[in-house]
Amino acid sequence: MNEVVYGFKEIEKLEIEIAEGKDELNNLVEAYQIAQGNNVYLEYVFDATSYEDLIYRYAIIEELMEYQEEKIEDWKNKIQKNEDLKVQLKKREETLKNQITNLSNEIESLG
């Protein structure tokens, strides 16, 4: 039974994290869409005033894109983990209900 309580708490925690990250994820997706449509990243890189500036700007864009990809992957993993926990808890809950029913039947047959 302790597993079920822990599972529900874990699901609740993940749902809060997912909800909190939803705004951030929406901002990342919006920024990505804007960048894709307007080539903002390319404009930023090619507005460099020197070769060093070009390399610096490229590195920043590369880090930004990696960060966005990591965040998106992180949220996907949390959502998947949450869904998996829900399935596991449902199965565990059914198992426990069956055990309760079986034990109730055994008690009735004894008394």
Side-chain angles (χ1 to χ4, degrees):
M1 195 65 160
N2 215 8
E3 296 170 30
V4 175
V5 172
Y6 172 77
F8 280 119
K9 287 181 181 181
E10 186 69 17
I11 286 174
E12 185 177 315
K13 177 185 157 199
L14 285 169
E15 286 179 347
I16 290 170
E17 288 178 16
I18 289 167
E20 289 173 350
K22 187 176 180 181
D23 289 336
E24 183 179 359
L25 187 58
N26 285 338
N27 290 339
L28 287 173
V29 169
E30 185 177 309
Y32 179 75
Q33 289 173 341
I34 289 170
Q36 290 291 72
N38 297 326
N39 294 323
V40 172
Y41 293 150
L42 288 176
E43 288 177 26
Y44 175 73
V45 170
F46 290 121
D47 278 345
T49 56
S50 67
Y51 182 70
E52 291 82 14
D53 190 25
L54 177 78
I55 293 186
Y56 173 76
R57 288 173 182 237
Y58 178 79
I60 287 186
I61 295 301
E62 192 173 48
E63 284 182 32
L64 179 62
M65 291 176 76
E66 285 176 16
Y67 172 78
Q68 289 175 338
E69 289 172 10
E70 287 173 9
K71 279 296 192 183
I72 290 169
E73 192 62 32
D74 184 43
W75 296 129
K76 284 181 182 178
N77 290 339
K78 285 181 181 181
I79 290 169
Q80 185 61 51
K81 181 178 179 183
N82 196 23
E83 293 301 316
D84 292 345
L85 276 172
K86 286 179 182 180
V87 169
Q88 290 174 6
L89 277 176
K90 186 71 174 169
K91 288 179 182 177
R92 183 67 177 144
E93 190 175 31
E94 289 174 17
T95 301
L96 290 173
K97 283 181 183 178
N98 289 337
Q99 287 177 348
I100 288 170
T101 301
N102 291 340
L103 289 173
S104 293
N105 290 340
E106 283 183 36
I107 289 171
E108 276 184 30
S109 69
L110 293 174

